[in-house]
Amino acid sequence: MLKIAKERIDILFKLADKEFSEHPERSHRYVEIARNIATRYNIRMPRIWRRRFCKNCYLFLKPGYNSQVRLSKSCVVIRCFECGSTMRVPYIKEKKGKRRERIESHIIKKRTDE
Amino acid sequence: MITPQNIFRHELIGLHVMVVDSSHAGFIGIEGKVVDETKNTISIEQEDGTEKIVPKNIATFHFKLPSGKIVEIQGNVILARPEDRIKKKFKNFW
């Protein structure tokens, strides 16, 4: 049952992406149905679709058409042109992981040299 | 995967559909893509671009799956909100 729900969310978002250029109101409706399914069966939104709708007005977002994506202060900033709100998705964890990796590899190198 | 066994619970939006039987003669023969679904109706976009809204409880539909199979469904079987159909019991219809 949960598998069907996940598949349906995926189908709906793909259709929303496809229909946006000609019928934006349809893609907004598909996002609404997908969110209804996710909230009813307690499923997390798939990672690829989590940034594709506004968290304030719940409309479908397509970068370059009704949204803007920028990087600032270790965050992905997504601005919705429909309602004017901004979402911030931090990527500081990835940044710190990279830094740690670099330091560790440096230490290992030193040890092998000794 | 949409199969004939789980189409009652699966997504109808995006499938090709044809109305084959109805108590109102004007609905018979409507053919096209499903673009929206509510509790009591299905809206169908025909090939010339017009949208028709068909009530579920009086019509019989032929759905064409992505695999090419055609399934006949009576409208009163799928009489529920799109998110409620996943958990609905279809025991007395089999």
Side-chain angles (χ1 to χ4, degrees), chain A residues 31-87:
Chain A
V31 170
E32 194 189 331
I33 297 175
R35 253 178 49 80
N36 278 347
I37 292 171
T39 50
R40 191 163 178 86
Y41 299 101
N42 212 355
I43 300 165
R44 295 200 76 186
M45 274 286 172
R47 230 178 201 196
I48 39 170
W49 301 123
R50 219 175 283 166
R51 296 178 191 179
R52 296 301 298 275
F53 64 91
C54 179
K55 297 249 164 84
N56 187 39
C57 55
Y58 303 123
L59 298 184
F60 186 76
L61 298 181
K62 190 160 188 174
Y65 292 88
N66 64 348
S67 75
Q68 182 192 50
V69 183
R70 294 285 183 272
L71 299 180
S72 76
K73 294 180 184 173
S74 301
C75 279
V76 182
V77 182
I78 302 165
R79 173 170 274 269
C80 167
F81 291 158
E82 308 275 353
C83 64
S85 65
T86 52
M87 299 194 283

Side-chain angles (χ1 to χ4, degrees), chain A residues 1-5 7-9 11-12 15 18-19 23 25-26 29-30 33 36-37 40-41, chain B residues 1-2 6 9-11 13-14 33-38 45 51 81-87:
Chain A
M1 201 157 50
L2 291 178
K3 200 185 153 199
I4 287 177
E7 280 176 5
R8 283 182 72 171
I9 290 172
I11 289 172
L12 281 168
L15 272 173
K18 214 167 131 191
E19 296 262 337
H23 303 278
E25 75 286 347
R26 268 182 211 168
R29 167 75 183 150
Y30 297 162
I33 297 175
N36 278 347
I37 292 171
R40 191 163 178 86
Y41 299 101
Chain B
M1 273 292 288
I2 306 178
N6 71 6
R9 301 193 172 84
H10 225 291
E11 193 56 61
I13 292 173
K33 205 177 73 172
V34 183
V35 290
D36 201 359
E37 186 193 355
T38 61
E45 190 190 38
E51 248 181 72
R81 275 184 285 175
E83 67 265 25
D84 288 346
R85 273 192 299 113
I86 300 179
K87 243 182 185 176

